[in-house]
Amino acid sequence: MNKWKIAIPALAVVLLVAWYAFRPERLFINERVHEALPTANVSSVQPIESGVFYGIAHPTEGTATIYRMGDGALMLRFTSFRTSNGPNVHVYLVAADDAKDSETVRRAGFIDLGSIKGNIGDQNYALGSDVDLSKYRAVSIWCQRFSVNFGAASLKPDQSVSQNQAAK
């Protein structure tokens, strides 16, 4: 009988710690976000680079686009975005041409743009004005808790920008 007085509370503590570490309910709960592109003058917003998300550890889809706002600030925007939810998922701008696996992200280096706002929907992330876009060429959806790359998008010069510059 004394064994049960110790075993039951110990099991409860182990289960609580496991729940906190894995947060299994997040696999079934979607967080939807529908942010508009912040702008007072749409004509002054220019897409610079974009890429399509693909899944690595989890199915991931949508488009990542970097915009230069009218005031010169840079904004990363996800459109038609969808990935799995999870514990402590962040958005990384990666210093590599692509973030095909977790090792590339760790080795290349990154800028942490903060926690993902939602695993479904359109969302915006402000970039520092000093971000070197010739160095940071990919976006990663990164689970910090387990060091796993959910999905990535390789950024390329936006087609509409390339066509406008060719016309000049």
Side-chain angles (χ1 to χ4, degrees):
M1 188 68 174
N2 281 341
K3 289 181 185 178
W4 290 111
K5 287 182 180 180
I6 294 171
I8 290 175
L11 180 62
V13 168
V14 167
L15 290 174
L16 183 65
V17 168
W19 168 81
Y20 179 76
F22 293 99
R23 299 297 304 264
E25 79 279 4
R26 290 203 176 211
L27 295 174
F28 307 106
I29 298 172
N30 290 320
E31 303 232 3
R32 297 178 190 276
V33 176
H34 296 290
E35 290 184 320
L37 184 63
T39 178
N41 184 358
V42 176
S43 64
S44 65
V45 174
Q46 264 197 331
I48 299 172
E49 297 179 340
S50 63
V52 176
F53 279 104
Y54 60 91
I56 298 171
H58 292 273
T60 304
E61 60 189 50
T63 303
T65 306
I66 295 180
Y67 290 91
R68 183 170 313 282
M69 309 307 284
D71 62 359
L74 297 174
M75 176 76 60
L76 172 64
R77 178 165 173 79
F78 296 171
T79 51
S80 302
F81 180 74
R82 177 182 281 278
T83 192
S84 299
N85 206 346
N88 208 12
V89 179
H90 282 237
V91 177
Y92 285 179
L93 201 55
V94 182
D97 288 336
D98 203 351
K100 296 178 180 179
D101 54 33
S102 297
E103 187 57 35
T104 299
V105 176
R106 286 191 287 264
R107 191 173 3 109
F110 54 86
I111 297 172
D112 185 348
L113 301 179
S115 294
I116 196 166
K117 295 176 181 180
N119 66 309
I120 297 174
D122 302 344
Q123 46 204 285
N124 305 310
Y125 297 89
L127 303 179
S129 58
D130 59 344
V131 172
D132 182 358
L133 295 178
S134 66
K135 178 179 178 183
Y136 294 94
R137 309 288 312 137
V139 178
S140 169
I141 306 304
W142 185 264
C143 178
Q144 285 188 337
R145 172 93 28 96
F146 298 107
S147 295
V148 173
N149 192 356
F150 277 26
S154 177
L155 299 171
K156 305 286 184 219
D158 191 76
Q159 291 299 327
S160 62
V161 172
S162 300
Q163 290 170 355
N164 287 345
Q165 290 174 346
K168 289 182 181 178

